[in-house]
mmCIF file of all heavy atoms in Angstrom:
data_model
loop_
_atom_site.group_PDB
_atom_site.id
_atom_site.type_symbol
_atom_site.label_atom_id
_atom_site.label_comp_id
_atom_site.label_asym_id
_atom_site.label_seq_id
_atom_site.Cartn_x
_atom_site.Cartn_y
_atom_site.Cartn_z
ATOM 1 N N VAL A 276 -9.871 -128.024 71.909
ATOM 2 C CA VAL A 276 -10.540 -126.856 72.446
ATOM 3 C C VAL A 276 -9.812 -126.447 73.720
ATOM 4 O O VAL A 276 -9.625 -127.257 74.628
ATOM 5 C CB VAL A 276 -12.026 -127.158 72.756
ATOM 6 C CG1 VAL A 276 -12.715 -125.927 73.332
ATOM 7 C CG2 VAL A 276 -12.741 -127.631 71.492
ATOM 8 N N ILE A 277 -9.378 -125.190 73.788
ATOM 9 C CA ILE A 277 -8.681 -124.714 74.986
ATOM 10 C C ILE A 277 -9.536 -123.665 75.683
ATOM 11 O O ILE A 277 -10.357 -122.996 75.056
ATOM 12 C CB ILE A 277 -7.283 -124.153 74.653
ATOM 13 C CG1 ILE A 277 -7.377 -122.895 73.793
ATOM 14 C CG2 ILE A 277 -6.438 -125.206 73.988
ATOM 15 C CD1 ILE A 277 -6.019 -122.249 73.526
ATOM 16 N N GLY A 278 -9.349 -123.530 76.988
ATOM 17 C CA GLY A 278 -10.130 -122.578 77.764
ATOM 18 C C GLY A 278 -9.896 -121.157 77.300
ATOM 19 O O GLY A 278 -8.794 -120.795 76.857
ATOM 20 N N LEU A 279 -10.921 -120.315 77.419
ATOM 21 C CA LEU A 279 -10.833 -118.935 76.939
ATOM 22 C C LEU A 279 -9.698 -118.172 77.621
ATOM 23 O O LEU A 279 -9.005 -117.377 76.980
ATOM 24 C CB LEU A 279 -12.159 -118.211 77.163
ATOM 25 C CG LEU A 279 -13.343 -118.687 76.311
ATOM 26 C CD1 LEU A 279 -14.593 -117.885 76.656
ATOM 27 C CD2 LEU A 279 -13.028 -118.561 74.828
ATOM 28 N N SER A 280 -9.517 -118.398 78.912
ATOM 29 C CA SER A 280 -8.469 -117.673 79.621
ATOM 30 C C SER A 280 -7.082 -118.031 79.101
ATOM 31 O O SER A 280 -6.137 -117.244 79.241
ATOM 32 C CB SER A 280 -8.551 -117.955 81.120
ATOM 33 O OG SER A 280 -8.265 -119.318 81.399
ATOM 34 N N LYS A 281 -6.965 -119.209 78.501
ATOM 35 C CA LYS A 281 -5.652 -119.635 78.018
ATOM 36 C C LYS A 281 -5.200 -118.809 76.821
ATOM 37 O O LYS A 281 -4.000 -118.625 76.614
ATOM 38 C CB LYS A 281 -5.678 -121.123 77.664
ATOM 39 C CG LYS A 281 -6.047 -122.033 78.836
ATOM 40 C CD LYS A 281 -5.163 -121.796 80.042
ATOM 41 C CE LYS A 281 -5.478 -122.735 81.191
ATOM 42 N NZ LYS A 281 -6.759 -122.432 81.843
ATOM 43 N N TYR A 282 -6.143 -118.309 76.029
ATOM 44 C CA TYR A 282 -5.764 -117.417 74.933
ATOM 45 C C TYR A 282 -5.105 -116.164 75.492
ATOM 46 O O TYR A 282 -4.095 -115.685 74.961
ATOM 47 C CB TYR A 282 -6.983 -117.050 74.087
ATOM 48 C CG TYR A 282 -7.509 -118.185 73.243
ATOM 49 C CD1 TYR A 282 -8.611 -118.923 73.632
ATOM 50 C CD2 TYR A 282 -6.890 -118.516 72.037
ATOM 51 C CE1 TYR A 282 -9.088 -119.970 72.853
ATOM 52 C CE2 TYR A 282 -7.358 -119.563 71.248
ATOM 53 C CZ TYR A 282 -8.461 -120.283 71.665
ATOM 54 O OH TYR A 282 -8.932 -121.327 70.899
ATOM 55 N N ALA A 283 -5.673 -115.626 76.576
ATOM 56 C CA ALA A 283 -5.094 -114.433 77.201
ATOM 57 C C ALA A 283 -3.700 -114.731 77.737
ATOM 58 O O ALA A 283 -2.783 -113.897 77.632
ATOM 59 C CB ALA A 283 -6.003 -113.943 78.322
ATOM 60 N N ARG A 284 -3.510 -115.922 78.311
ATOM 61 C CA ARG A 284 -2.201 -116.284 78.858
ATOM 62 C C ARG A 284 -1.170 -116.446 77.738
ATOM 63 O O ARG A 284 -0.003 -116.076 77.899
ATOM 64 C CB ARG A 284 -2.307 -117.563 79.675
ATOM 65 C CG ARG A 284 -3.166 -117.410 80.929
ATOM 66 C CD ARG A 284 -3.153 -118.683 81.766
ATOM 67 N NE ARG A 284 -4.094 -118.604 82.869
ATOM 68 C CZ ARG A 284 -3.873 -117.990 84.019
ATOM 69 N NH1 ARG A 284 -2.703 -117.387 84.209
ATOM 70 N NH2 ARG A 284 -4.775 -117.971 84.976
ATOM 71 N N LEU A 285 -1.579 -117.022 76.616
ATOM 72 C CA LEU A 285 -0.653 -117.180 75.493
ATOM 73 C C LEU A 285 -0.275 -115.821 74.904
ATOM 74 O O LEU A 285 0.886 -115.592 74.541
ATOM 75 C CB LEU A 285 -1.274 -118.071 74.423
ATOM 76 C CG LEU A 285 -1.460 -119.546 74.791
ATOM 77 C CD1 LEU A 285 -2.143 -120.300 73.662
ATOM 78 C CD2 LEU A 285 -0.130 -120.207 75.145
ATOM 79 N N VAL A 286 -1.263 -114.929 74.801
ATOM 80 C CA VAL A 286 -0.978 -113.576 74.313
ATOM 81 C C VAL A 286 0.021 -112.893 75.237
ATOM 82 O O VAL A 286 1.004 -112.287 74.789
ATOM 83 C CB VAL A 286 -2.273 -112.748 74.203
ATOM 84 C CG1 VAL A 286 -1.957 -111.263 73.994
ATOM 85 C CG2 VAL A 286 -3.139 -113.257 73.064
ATOM 86 N N ASP A 287 -0.200 -112.983 76.536
ATOM 87 C CA ASP A 287 0.680 -112.339 77.509
ATOM 88 C C ASP A 287 2.090 -112.917 77.430
ATOM 89 O O ASP A 287 3.081 -112.192 77.545
ATOM 90 C CB ASP A 287 0.102 -112.531 78.913
ATOM 91 C CG ASP A 287 0.846 -111.745 79.962
ATOM 92 O OD1 ASP A 287 0.898 -110.508 79.853
ATOM 93 O OD2 ASP A 287 1.383 -112.355 80.909
ATOM 94 N N TRP A 288 2.196 -114.228 77.203
ATOM 95 C CA TRP A 288 3.505 -114.887 77.140
ATOM 96 C C TRP A 288 4.283 -114.466 75.893
ATOM 97 O O TRP A 288 5.472 -114.167 75.968
ATOM 98 C CB TRP A 288 3.300 -116.401 77.156
ATOM 99 C CG TRP A 288 4.549 -117.208 77.276
ATOM 100 C CD1 TRP A 288 5.433 -117.220 78.312
ATOM 101 C CD2 TRP A 288 5.054 -118.153 76.313
ATOM 102 N NE1 TRP A 288 6.461 -118.114 78.062
ATOM 103 C CE2 TRP A 288 6.239 -118.701 76.848
ATOM 104 C CE3 TRP A 288 4.605 -118.590 75.078
ATOM 105 C CZ2 TRP A 288 6.990 -119.663 76.170
ATOM 106 C CZ3 TRP A 288 5.352 -119.552 74.400
ATOM 107 C CH2 TRP A 288 6.539 -120.077 74.942
ATOM 108 N N ILE A 289 3.601 -114.419 74.761
ATOM 109 C CA ILE A 289 4.265 -114.021 73.516
ATOM 110 C C ILE A 289 4.609 -112.537 73.517
ATOM 111 O O ILE A 289 5.688 -112.121 73.083
ATOM 112 C CB ILE A 289 3.384 -114.358 72.296
ATOM 113 C CG1 ILE A 289 3.318 -115.880 72.078
ATOM 114 C CG2 ILE A 289 3.899 -113.666 71.032
ATOM 115 C CD1 ILE A 289 4.603 -116.518 71.628
ATOM 116 N N MET A 290 3.698 -111.708 74.017
ATOM 117 C CA MET A 290 3.914 -110.266 73.973
ATOM 118 C C MET A 290 4.848 -109.780 75.076
ATOM 119 O O MET A 290 5.337 -108.652 75.017
ATOM 120 C CB MET A 290 2.563 -109.540 74.084
ATOM 121 C CG MET A 290 1.628 -109.832 72.927
ATOM 122 S SD MET A 290 2.332 -109.334 71.340
ATOM 123 C CE MET A 290 1.288 -110.268 70.207
ATOM 124 N N GLY A 291 5.106 -110.613 76.082
ATOM 125 C CA GLY A 291 5.994 -110.223 77.163
ATOM 126 C C GLY A 291 7.452 -110.362 76.796
ATOM 127 O O GLY A 291 8.236 -110.977 77.529
ATOM 128 N N ARG A 292 7.823 -109.802 75.653
ATOM 129 C CA ARG A 292 9.195 -109.840 75.149
ATOM 130 C C ARG A 292 9.395 -108.580 74.311
ATOM 131 O O ARG A 292 8.427 -108.014 73.806
ATOM 132 C CB ARG A 292 9.430 -111.067 74.258
ATOM 133 C CG ARG A 292 8.945 -112.363 74.839
ATOM 134 C CD ARG A 292 8.944 -113.483 73.827
ATOM 135 N NE ARG A 292 8.230 -114.646 74.358
ATOM 136 C CZ ARG A 292 8.072 -115.778 73.700
ATOM 137 N NH1 ARG A 292 8.590 -115.914 72.492
ATOM 138 N NH2 ARG A 292 7.401 -116.783 74.246
ATOM 139 N N PRO A 293 10.625 -108.153 74.097
ATOM 140 C CA PRO A 293 10.826 -107.089 73.116
ATOM 141 C C PRO A 293 10.396 -107.596 71.741
ATOM 142 O O PRO A 293 10.889 -108.622 71.282
ATOM 143 C CB PRO A 293 12.335 -106.820 73.174
ATOM 144 C CG PRO A 293 12.773 -107.385 74.495
ATOM 145 C CD PRO A 293 11.881 -108.568 74.735
ATOM 146 N N GLN A 294 9.488 -106.888 71.104
ATOM 147 C CA GLN A 294 8.869 -107.385 69.891
ATOM 148 C C GLN A 294 8.793 -106.302 68.829
ATOM 149 O O GLN A 294 8.888 -105.111 69.126
ATOM 150 C CB GLN A 294 7.426 -107.844 70.180
ATOM 151 C CG GLN A 294 7.283 -109.127 70.952
ATOM 152 C CD GLN A 294 7.421 -110.349 70.041
ATOM 153 O OE1 GLN A 294 7.873 -110.242 68.901
ATOM 154 N NE2 GLN A 294 7.025 -111.505 70.535
ATOM 155 N N ILE A 295 8.606 -106.716 67.593
ATOM 156 C CA ILE A 295 8.011 -105.837 66.592
ATOM 157 C C ILE A 295 6.671 -106.479 66.245
ATOM 158 O O ILE A 295 6.536 -107.709 66.234
ATOM 159 C CB ILE A 295 8.900 -105.629 65.344
ATOM 160 C CG1 ILE A 295 9.105 -106.917 64.558
ATOM 161 C CG2 ILE A 295 10.239 -105.014 65.731
ATOM 162 C CD1 ILE A 295 9.754 -106.684 63.204
ATOM 163 N N GLN A 296 5.690 -105.651 66.009
ATOM 164 C CA GLN A 296 4.319 -106.138 65.905
ATOM 165 C C GLN A 296 4.147 -107.163 64.796
ATOM 166 O O GLN A 296 3.421 -108.150 64.951
ATOM 167 C CB GLN A 296 3.372 -104.952 65.688
ATOM 168 C CG GLN A 296 1.898 -105.328 65.680
ATOM 169 C CD GLN A 296 0.991 -104.118 65.741
ATOM 170 O OE1 GLN A 296 1.376 -103.066 66.248
ATOM 171 N NE2 GLN A 296 -0.210 -104.251 65.217
ATOM 172 N N GLU A 297 4.816 -106.955 63.679
ATOM 173 C CA GLU A 297 4.655 -107.853 62.536
ATOM 174 C C GLU A 297 5.083 -109.280 62.883
ATOM 175 O O GLU A 297 4.463 -110.257 62.422
ATOM 176 C CB GLU A 297 5.476 -107.354 61.340
ATOM 177 C CG GLU A 297 5.170 -105.936 60.902
ATOM 178 C CD GLU A 297 6.092 -104.908 61.562
ATOM 179 O OE1 GLU A 297 6.226 -104.948 62.802
ATOM 180 O OE2 GLU A 297 6.665 -104.083 60.839
ATOM 181 N N GLU A 298 6.145 -109.416 63.672
ATOM 182 C CA GLU A 298 6.619 -110.744 64.055
ATOM 183 C C GLU A 298 5.804 -111.325 65.204
ATOM 184 O O GLU A 298 5.614 -112.533 65.287
ATOM 185 C CB GLU A 298 8.102 -110.677 64.441
ATOM 186 C CG GLU A 298 9.023 -110.337 63.285
ATOM 187 C CD GLU A 298 10.483 -110.257 63.704
ATOM 188 O OE1 GLU A 298 10.768 -110.404 64.913
ATOM 189 O OE2 GLU A 298 11.332 -110.029 62.825
ATOM 190 N N ALA A 299 5.312 -110.452 66.091
ATOM 191 C CA ALA A 299 4.583 -110.921 67.268
ATOM 192 C C ALA A 299 3.320 -111.684 66.887
ATOM 193 O O ALA A 299 3.016 -112.739 67.456
ATOM 194 C CB ALA A 299 4.232 -109.737 68.168
ATOM 195 N N VAL A 300 2.564 -111.158 65.917
ATOM 196 C CA VAL A 300 1.309 -111.824 65.553
ATOM 197 C C VAL A 300 1.580 -113.153 64.854
ATOM 198 O O VAL A 300 0.803 -114.105 64.991
ATOM 199 C CB VAL A 300 0.410 -110.915 64.669
ATOM 200 C CG1 VAL A 300 -0.109 -109.737 65.460
ATOM 201 C CG2 VAL A 300 1.135 -110.438 63.435
ATOM 202 N N VAL A 301 2.696 -113.249 64.140
ATOM 203 C CA VAL A 301 3.063 -114.513 63.500
ATOM 204 C C VAL A 301 3.439 -115.543 64.564
ATOM 205 O O VAL A 301 3.030 -116.708 64.497
ATOM 206 C CB VAL A 301 4.215 -114.304 62.495
ATOM 207 C CG1 VAL A 301 4.724 -115.653 61.972
ATOM 208 C CG2 VAL A 301 3.763 -113.426 61.334
ATOM 209 N N GLN A 302 4.225 -115.132 65.552
ATOM 210 C CA GLN A 302 4.582 -116.038 66.650
ATOM 211 C C GLN A 302 3.329 -116.546 67.360
ATOM 212 O O GLN A 302 3.218 -117.737 67.674
ATOM 213 C CB GLN A 302 5.475 -115.315 67.664
ATOM 214 C CG GLN A 302 6.935 -115.271 67.298
ATOM 215 C CD GLN A 302 7.773 -114.778 68.466
ATOM 216 O OE1 GLN A 302 7.402 -113.860 69.191
ATOM 217 N NE2 GLN A 302 8.928 -115.391 68.656
ATOM 218 N N LEU A 303 2.399 -115.635 67.635
ATOM 219 C CA LEU A 303 1.171 -116.017 68.325
ATOM 220 C C LEU A 303 0.355 -116.978 67.473
ATOM 221 O O LEU A 303 -0.167 -117.985 67.976
ATOM 222 C CB LEU A 303 0.353 -114.774 68.665
ATOM 223 C CG LEU A 303 -0.960 -115.015 69.403
ATOM 224 C CD1 LEU A 303 -0.720 -115.675 70.756
ATOM 225 C CD2 LEU A 303 -1.733 -113.713 69.564
ATOM 226 N N ALA A 304 0.233 -116.689 66.189
ATOM 227 C CA ALA A 304 -0.525 -117.563 65.296
ATOM 228 C C ALA A 304 0.096 -118.956 65.234
ATOM 229 O O ALA A 304 -0.612 -119.967 65.284
ATOM 230 C CB ALA A 304 -0.599 -116.940 63.900
ATOM 231 N N ASP A 305 1.415 -119.032 65.130
ATOM 232 C CA ASP A 305 2.098 -120.332 65.092
ATOM 233 C C ASP A 305 1.811 -121.129 66.360
ATOM 234 O O ASP A 305 1.558 -122.347 66.308
ATOM 235 C CB ASP A 305 3.608 -120.134 64.944
ATOM 236 C CG ASP A 305 4.007 -119.635 63.562
ATOM 237 O OD1 ASP A 305 3.185 -119.736 62.633
ATOM 238 O OD2 ASP A 305 5.148 -119.145 63.430
ATOM 239 N N LEU A 306 1.845 -120.452 67.504
ATOM 240 C CA LEU A 306 1.636 -121.122 68.783
ATOM 241 C C LEU A 306 0.215 -121.657 68.907
ATOM 242 O O LEU A 306 -0.001 -122.799 69.337
ATOM 243 C CB LEU A 306 1.931 -120.142 69.925
ATOM 244 C CG LEU A 306 1.829 -120.689 71.344
ATOM 245 C CD1 LEU A 306 2.849 -121.812 71.580
ATOM 246 C CD2 LEU A 306 2.036 -119.574 72.362
ATOM 247 N N ILE A 307 -0.765 -120.860 68.516
ATOM 248 C CA ILE A 307 -2.162 -121.294 68.617
ATOM 249 C C ILE A 307 -2.449 -122.423 67.630
ATOM 250 O O ILE A 307 -3.142 -123.397 67.963
ATOM 251 C CB ILE A 307 -3.118 -120.106 68.389
ATOM 252 C CG1 ILE A 307 -2.933 -119.075 69.510
ATOM 253 C CG2 ILE A 307 -4.567 -120.579 68.349
ATOM 254 C CD1 ILE A 307 -3.727 -117.798 69.299
#
């Protein structure tokens, strides 16, 4: 179980890159 704020930090870390949306959500899912 991770703190709620940590989800926001992980989203910010993954999305803080040049991305295409289809790959971004996969990267985020893999990380979580």
Side-chain angles (χ1 to χ4, degrees):
V276 179
I277 65 176
L279 292 179
S280 66
K281 301 306 183 289
Y282 289 100
R284 295 184 187 279
L285 292 177
V286 168
D287 188 60
W288 188 63
I289 289 291
M290 297 300 162
R292 312 169 191 180
Q294 287 278 14
I295 65 169
Q296 185 169 334
E297 304 93 310
E298 294 179 357
V300 292
V301 172
Q302 277 191 320
L303 181 62
D305 289 343
L306 183 62
I307 296 174

